[in-house]
Protein backbone atom coordinates (compact mmCIF):
# COMPACT_ATOMS: atom_id res chain seq x y z
CA UNK A 1 0.00 0.00 0.00
CA UNK A 2 0.94 3.63 -0.44
CA UNK A 3 0.48 5.32 2.92
CA UNK A 4 0.56 9.04 3.77
CA UNK A 5 1.76 9.91 7.27
CA UNK A 6 1.05 13.52 8.29
CA UNK A 7 2.63 15.33 11.23
CA UNK A 8 5.82 13.31 10.83
CA UNK A 9 7.87 15.75 12.93
CA UNK A 10 5.72 15.20 16.02
CA UNK A 11 5.98 12.59 18.75
CA UNK A 12 3.80 9.96 17.10
CA UNK A 13 4.95 10.82 13.57
CA UNK A 14 8.58 10.23 14.53
CA UNK A 15 7.72 6.88 16.13
CA UNK A 16 5.80 5.88 13.00
CA UNK A 17 8.88 6.59 10.89
CA UNK A 18 11.02 4.33 13.09
CA UNK A 19 8.54 1.48 12.70
CA UNK A 20 8.32 1.92 8.92
CA UNK A 21 11.74 0.28 8.78
CA UNK A 22 10.31 -2.98 10.14
CA UNK A 23 7.20 -2.71 7.93
CA UNK A 24 8.91 -2.38 4.51
CA UNK A 25 6.02 -4.01 2.64
CA UNK A 26 4.39 -0.56 2.26
CA UNK A 27 5.49 2.69 0.61
CA UNK A 28 5.39 5.69 2.93
CA UNK A 29 5.03 9.41 2.29
CA UNK A 30 6.14 11.17 5.48
CA UNK A 31 4.99 14.78 5.51
CA UNK A 32 4.82 17.76 7.79
CA UNK A 33 3.74 21.27 6.90
CA UNK A 34 6.84 21.88 4.72
CA UNK A 35 5.98 18.91 2.47
CA UNK A 36 2.18 19.17 2.56
CA UNK A 37 -0.05 21.88 4.02
CA UNK A 38 -3.06 19.82 5.13
CA UNK A 39 -5.11 23.01 5.56
CA UNK A 40 -4.95 23.52 1.77
CA UNK A 41 -7.72 21.34 0.35
CA UNK A 42 -6.48 21.54 -3.25
CA UNK A 43 -2.94 20.61 -2.22
CA UNK A 44 -4.25 17.63 -0.22
CA UNK A 45 -6.41 16.36 -3.07
CA UNK A 46 -3.57 16.73 -5.57
CA UNK A 47 -1.05 14.96 -3.33
CA UNK A 48 -3.36 12.04 -2.58
CA UNK A 49 -4.35 11.66 -6.24
CA UNK A 50 -0.89 12.06 -7.80
CA UNK A 51 0.74 9.66 -5.34
CA UNK A 52 -2.14 7.16 -5.51
CA UNK A 53 -2.47 7.10 -1.72
CA UNK A 54 -4.32 4.05 -0.32
CA UNK A 55 -4.41 5.11 3.32
CA UNK A 56 -3.66 8.04 5.60
CA UNK A 57 -2.47 8.10 9.21
CA UNK A 58 -3.09 11.63 10.46
CA UNK A 59 -0.65 12.40 13.27
CA UNK A 60 -0.93 16.17 12.75
CA UNK A 61 -2.86 18.28 15.25
CA UNK A 62 -2.96 21.49 17.24
CA UNK A 63 -2.10 20.07 20.66
CA UNK A 64 -1.32 23.19 22.74
CA UNK A 65 -4.33 22.71 25.02
CA UNK A 66 -4.11 26.02 26.88
CA UNK A 67 -3.16 28.12 23.84
CA UNK A 68 -6.14 26.67 21.98
CA UNK A 69 -8.48 28.62 24.28
CA UNK A 70 -7.23 31.85 22.69
CA UNK A 71 -6.60 30.40 19.22
CA UNK A 72 -9.86 28.60 18.54
CA UNK A 73 -9.86 29.36 14.81
CA UNK A 74 -6.41 27.85 14.25
CA UNK A 75 -7.17 24.87 16.48
CA UNK A 76 -10.35 24.17 14.50
CA UNK A 77 -8.52 24.51 11.19
CA UNK A 78 -5.87 21.93 12.16
CA UNK A 79 -7.99 19.61 14.30
CA UNK A 80 -11.28 19.54 12.39
CA UNK A 81 -11.17 21.14 8.94
CA UNK A 82 -7.84 19.70 7.73
CA UNK A 83 -8.62 16.11 8.79
CA UNK A 84 -11.85 16.45 6.83
CA UNK A 85 -9.87 17.37 3.71
CA UNK A 86 -7.60 14.34 4.18
CA UNK A 87 -10.54 12.01 4.74
CA UNK A 88 -12.46 13.17 1.69
CA UNK A 89 -9.38 12.94 -0.55
CA UNK A 90 -8.60 9.35 0.44
CA UNK A 91 -12.27 8.41 0.77
CA UNK A 92 -12.90 9.42 -2.84
CA UNK A 93 -10.24 6.89 -3.82
CA UNK A 94 -11.89 4.14 -1.75
CA UNK A 95 -9.04 4.22 0.74
CA UNK A 96 -8.84 4.22 4.53
CA UNK A 97 -7.87 6.70 7.22
CA UNK A 98 -6.64 6.49 10.80
CA UNK A 99 -7.35 9.65 12.81
CA UNK A 100 -5.70 10.10 16.20
CA UNK A 101 -8.04 11.71 18.74
CA UNK A 102 -8.05 12.37 22.47
CA UNK A 103 -9.53 11.69 25.90
CA UNK A 104 -10.48 15.40 25.95
CA UNK A 105 -13.66 14.57 24.02
CA UNK A 106 -14.94 13.57 27.50
CA UNK A 107 -15.42 15.96 30.41
CA UNK A 108 -13.74 13.60 32.90
CA UNK A 109 -16.63 13.42 35.39
CA UNK A 110 -17.01 9.64 35.15
CA UNK A 111 -15.45 7.28 37.69
CA UNK A 112 -15.12 4.16 35.52
CA UNK A 113 -12.92 3.75 32.44
CA UNK A 114 -14.45 5.40 29.37
CA UNK A 115 -15.68 3.09 26.62
CA UNK A 116 -16.09 4.14 23.00
CA UNK A 117 -19.87 4.40 23.26
CA UNK A 118 -19.90 6.77 26.26
CA UNK A 119 -21.50 10.17 25.54
CA UNK A 120 -18.93 12.77 24.46
CA UNK A 121 -18.88 16.07 26.32
CA UNK A 122 -15.74 18.15 25.72
CA UNK A 123 -15.22 21.16 27.97
CA UNK A 124 -12.24 22.81 26.24
CA UNK A 125 -11.54 24.24 22.80
CA UNK A 126 -8.98 21.50 22.19
CA UNK A 127 -11.48 18.77 23.07
CA UNK A 128 -14.27 20.37 21.04
CA UNK A 129 -12.15 20.78 17.92
CA UNK A 130 -10.80 17.22 18.17
CA UNK A 131 -14.38 15.93 18.44
CA UNK A 132 -15.30 17.95 15.34
CA UNK A 133 -12.32 16.28 13.68
CA UNK A 134 -13.69 12.84 14.51
CA UNK A 135 -17.00 13.78 12.92
CA UNK A 136 -15.42 15.31 9.81
CA UNK A 137 -13.22 12.29 9.05
CA UNK A 138 -16.08 9.82 9.52
CA UNK A 139 -18.18 11.92 7.15
CA UNK A 140 -15.41 12.16 4.54
CA UNK A 141 -14.21 8.55 4.56
CA UNK A 142 -16.42 5.63 5.56
CA UNK A 143 -13.39 3.39 6.11
CA UNK A 144 -12.10 5.48 9.03
CA UNK A 145 -10.58 4.28 12.29
CA UNK A 146 -10.46 6.81 15.11
CA UNK A 147 -8.04 6.10 17.95
CA UNK A 148 -8.50 8.18 21.08
CA UNK A 149 -5.41 8.33 23.25
CA UNK A 150 -4.23 10.20 26.35
CA UNK A 151 -1.16 11.60 28.12
CA UNK A 152 1.11 10.99 25.13
CA UNK A 153 4.88 11.11 25.59
CA UNK A 154 7.98 9.88 23.76
CA UNK A 155 11.69 10.51 23.28
CA UNK A 156 10.77 13.11 20.63
CA UNK A 157 9.54 16.67 21.03
CA UNK A 158 8.31 18.35 24.20
CA UNK A 159 6.27 16.30 26.63
CA UNK A 160 5.55 15.75 30.31
CA UNK A 161 8.20 13.08 30.86
CA UNK A 162 11.04 15.16 29.42
CA UNK A 163 9.83 18.27 31.26
CA UNK A 164 9.71 16.50 34.62
CA UNK A 165 13.21 15.09 34.12
CA UNK A 166 14.53 18.56 33.27
CA UNK A 167 12.75 20.28 36.17
CA UNK A 168 13.71 17.47 38.54
CA UNK A 169 17.35 18.13 37.75
CA UNK A 170 16.98 21.91 38.01
CA UNK A 171 14.69 22.50 40.99
CA UNK A 172 14.76 21.39 44.64
CA UNK A 173 10.95 21.22 44.75
CA UNK A 174 8.03 20.72 42.37
CA UNK A 175 4.27 20.85 42.81
CA UNK A 176 2.31 18.40 40.62
CA UNK A 177 -1.44 17.79 40.42
CA UNK A 178 -2.63 14.63 42.17
CA UNK A 179 -6.40 14.79 41.56
CA UNK A 180 -6.36 14.25 37.79
CA UNK A 181 -6.33 10.54 37.02
CA UNK A 182 -5.52 8.79 33.75
CA UNK A 183 -3.03 6.59 31.95
CA UNK A 184 0.15 7.66 30.15
CA UNK A 185 0.69 6.53 26.57
CA UNK A 186 4.15 5.85 25.16
CA UNK A 187 3.93 6.99 21.53
CA UNK A 188 6.01 3.98 20.47
CA UNK A 189 3.28 1.63 21.78
CA UNK A 190 0.57 3.61 19.98
CA UNK A 191 2.58 3.42 16.75
CA UNK A 192 2.88 -0.36 17.16
CA UNK A 193 -0.92 -0.59 17.54
CA UNK A 194 -1.46 1.56 14.43
CA UNK A 195 0.78 -0.72 12.37
CA UNK A 196 -1.14 -3.74 13.64
CA UNK A 197 -4.33 -2.11 12.37
CA UNK A 198 -2.74 -1.30 9.01
CA UNK A 199 -1.31 -4.78 8.51
CA UNK A 200 -4.40 -6.65 9.70
CA UNK A 201 -6.74 -4.31 7.83
CA UNK A 202 -8.35 -1.12 9.10
CA UNK A 203 -11.70 -1.92 10.72
CA UNK A 204 -13.78 1.28 10.84
CA UNK A 205 -14.99 2.67 14.13
CA UNK A 206 -13.86 4.42 17.30
CA UNK A 207 -11.21 2.80 19.50
CA UNK A 208 -9.42 3.74 22.72
CA UNK A 209 -5.70 3.25 23.30
CA UNK A 210 -3.33 4.06 26.14
CA UNK A 211 -0.94 1.96 28.17
CA UNK A 212 -2.38 -0.28 30.90
CA UNK A 213 -2.89 0.89 34.47
CA UNK A 214 -4.13 4.00 36.24
CA UNK A 215 -2.15 6.85 37.81
CA UNK A 216 -2.21 10.54 38.75
CA UNK A 217 0.15 13.19 37.37
CA UNK A 218 1.78 13.33 40.82
CA UNK A 219 2.44 9.59 40.94
CA UNK A 220 3.60 9.67 37.32
CA UNK A 221 6.17 12.33 38.23
CA UNK A 222 7.38 10.32 41.23
CA UNK A 223 7.88 7.31 38.94
CA UNK A 224 9.70 9.40 36.32
CA UNK A 225 12.13 10.70 38.94
CA UNK A 226 12.67 7.27 40.48
CA UNK A 227 13.42 5.61 37.12
CA UNK A 228 15.60 8.53 35.99
CA UNK A 229 17.57 8.42 39.26
CA UNK A 230 16.55 11.91 40.38
CA UNK A 231 16.77 12.08 44.20
CA UNK A 232 17.31 15.77 44.95
CA UNK A 233 13.86 17.10 43.99
CA UNK A 234 10.94 17.00 46.43
CA UNK A 235 7.59 16.53 44.65
CA UNK A 236 4.51 17.96 46.39
CA UNK A 237 0.90 16.97 45.50
CA UNK A 238 -1.31 19.84 44.32
CA UNK A 239 -5.07 20.18 43.90
CA UNK A 240 -6.18 21.26 40.42
CA UNK A 241 -7.41 24.53 41.95
CA UNK A 242 -3.86 25.31 43.10
CA UNK A 243 -2.58 25.21 39.52
CA UNK A 244 -5.11 27.13 37.40
CA UNK A 245 -4.84 26.82 33.61
CA UNK A 246 -6.78 28.50 30.75
CA UNK A 247 -8.24 25.16 29.60
CA UNK A 248 -10.29 22.74 31.69
CA UNK A 249 -8.74 19.30 32.05
CA UNK A 250 -10.57 16.04 32.70
CA UNK A 251 -10.29 14.90 36.32
CA UNK A 252 -10.74 11.28 35.25
CA UNK A 253 -9.73 10.15 31.77
CA UNK A 254 -8.94 6.45 32.04
CA UNK A 255 -9.73 4.76 28.71
CA UNK A 256 -11.06 1.21 28.39
CA UNK A 257 -8.96 -0.59 25.75
CA UNK A 258 -11.01 -3.80 25.48
CA UNK A 259 -12.27 -3.11 21.95
CA UNK A 260 -8.89 -2.49 20.30
CA UNK A 261 -7.27 -5.37 22.21
CA UNK A 262 -9.93 -7.84 21.08
CA UNK A 263 -10.17 -6.53 17.49
CA UNK A 264 -6.44 -6.69 16.80
CA UNK A 265 -5.28 -9.24 19.42
CA UNK A 266 -3.09 -6.61 21.07
CA UNK A 267 -1.00 -7.02 24.19
CA UNK A 268 -0.64 -3.51 25.63
CA UNK A 269 2.29 -2.87 27.98
CA UNK A 270 1.85 -1.58 31.54
CA UNK A 271 2.58 2.16 31.77
CA UNK A 272 5.62 1.80 34.05
CA UNK A 273 7.32 -0.73 31.76
CA UNK A 274 6.95 1.63 28.81
CA UNK A 275 8.08 4.61 30.86
CA UNK A 276 11.25 2.74 31.84
CA UNK A 277 11.88 1.90 28.18
CA UNK A 278 11.46 5.53 27.11
CA UNK A 279 13.69 6.92 29.88
CA UNK A 280 16.30 4.28 29.03
CA UNK A 281 16.40 5.58 25.45
CA UNK A 282 16.60 9.19 26.65
CA UNK A 283 19.47 8.44 29.02
CA UNK A 284 21.33 6.54 26.31
CA UNK A 285 21.10 9.64 24.11
CA UNK A 286 22.85 11.85 26.68
Amino acid sequence: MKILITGCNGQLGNEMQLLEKVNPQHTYFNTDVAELDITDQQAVEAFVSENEIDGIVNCAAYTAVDKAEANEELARLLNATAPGYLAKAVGDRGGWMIQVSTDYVFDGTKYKPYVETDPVCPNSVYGSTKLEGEESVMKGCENTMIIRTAWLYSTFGNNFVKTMIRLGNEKPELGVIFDQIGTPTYARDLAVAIFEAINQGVKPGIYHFSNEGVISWYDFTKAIHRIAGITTCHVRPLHTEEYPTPANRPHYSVLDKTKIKQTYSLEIPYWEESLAECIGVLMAQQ
Side-chain angles (χ1 to χ4, degrees):
M1 288 185 289
K2 294 181 177 179
I3 300 172
L4 168 61
I5 312 283
T6 62
C8 71
N9 292 339
Q11 295 190 81
L12 181 57
N14 269 295
E15 298 288 2
M16 291 293 292
Q17 290 183 80
L18 289 179
L19 288 177
E20 288 169 10
K21 297 179 178 69
V22 292
N23 290 272
Q25 66 271 36
H26 308 301
T27 301
Y28 303 97
F29 296 83
N30 296 302
T31 68
D32 214 290
V33 65
E35 295 80 26
L36 175 62
D37 179 2
I38 62 171
T39 67
D40 182 337
Q41 186 172 14
Q42 286 185 317
V44 167
E45 289 175 351
F47 189 99
V48 169
S49 176
E50 290 166 11
N51 293 291
E52 300 178 331
I53 298 298
D54 299 301
I56 297 175
V57 181
N58 183 30
C59 304
Y62 187 99
T63 57
V65 175
D66 288 323
K67 288 181 179 177
E69 295 296 312
N71 293 284
E72 185 169 352
E73 191 174 334
L74 179 58
R76 178 163 290 108
L77 180 63
L78 286 167
N79 291 343
T81 307
Y85 294 159
L86 292 166
K88 185 178 186 307
V90 78
D92 286 349
R93 288 182 49 78
W96 52 264
M97 179 156 167
I98 295 177
Q99 167 74 0
V100 181
S101 193
T102 175
D103 58 311
Y104 278 70
V105 300
F106 302 113
D107 62 9
T109 57
K110 205 180 170 192
Y111 57 90
K112 292 198 301 184
Y114 281 94
V115 295
E116 291 81 358
T117 52
D118 279 330
V120 287
C121 185
N123 62 355
S124 66
V125 168
Y126 172 66
S128 298
T129 58
K130 289 295 285 183
L131 178 59
E132 289 173 31
E134 292 187 7
E135 294 163 350
S136 67
V137 294
M138 287 191 287
K139 181 180 178 183
C141 176
E142 63 180 28
N143 197 13
T144 286
M145 179 180 185
I146 289 163
I147 306 179
R148 294 173 181 152
T149 191
W151 296 25
L152 197 68
Y153 70 92
S154 77
T155 58
F156 299 99
N158 297 314
N159 56 67
F160 187 82
V161 172
K162 292 168 81 171
T163 299
M164 290 302 106
I165 291 174
R166 176 176 58 80
L167 293 177
N169 283 316
E170 292 174 356
K171 296 179 177 293
E173 185 173 285
L174 279 177
V176 182
I177 291 168
F178 79 94
D179 58 359
Q180 291 176 17
I181 308 297
T183 312
T185 306
Y186 184 24
R188 175 76 52 85
D189 295 330
L190 176 55
V192 168
I194 289 172
F195 272 103
E196 283 296 327
I198 291 170
N199 293 331
Q200 293 182 39
V202 169
K203 299 175 177 67
I206 297 173
Y207 297 82
H208 288 171
F209 185 93
S210 68
N211 281 111
E212 297 283 20
V214 179
I215 199 167
S216 72
W217 289 113
Y218 167 78
D219 293 306
F220 191 29
T221 303
K222 295 286 282 185
I224 292 165
H225 285 187
R226 174 169 46 78
I227 293 168
I230 297 169
T231 57
T232 55
C233 180
H234 174 63
V235 183
R236 291 183 298 107
L238 295 180
H239 290 91
T240 296
E241 293 74 27
E242 296 177 81
Y243 191 79
T245 55
N248 292 315
R249 283 163 168 76
H251 274 276
Y252 185 91
S253 59
V254 180
L255 300 175
D256 187 302
K257 279 83 68 175
T258 303
K259 182 179 178 182
I260 199 167
K261 286 193 289 188
Q262 291 181 345
T263 303
Y264 292 104
S265 301
L266 288 181
E267 283 282 335
I268 301 177
Y270 178 56
W271 69 265
E272 192 167 349
E273 295 167 8
S274 293
L275 176 62
E277 181 184 322
C278 178
I279 291 177
V281 174
L282 286 172
M283 294 176 82
Q285 292 172 350
Q286 292 177 351

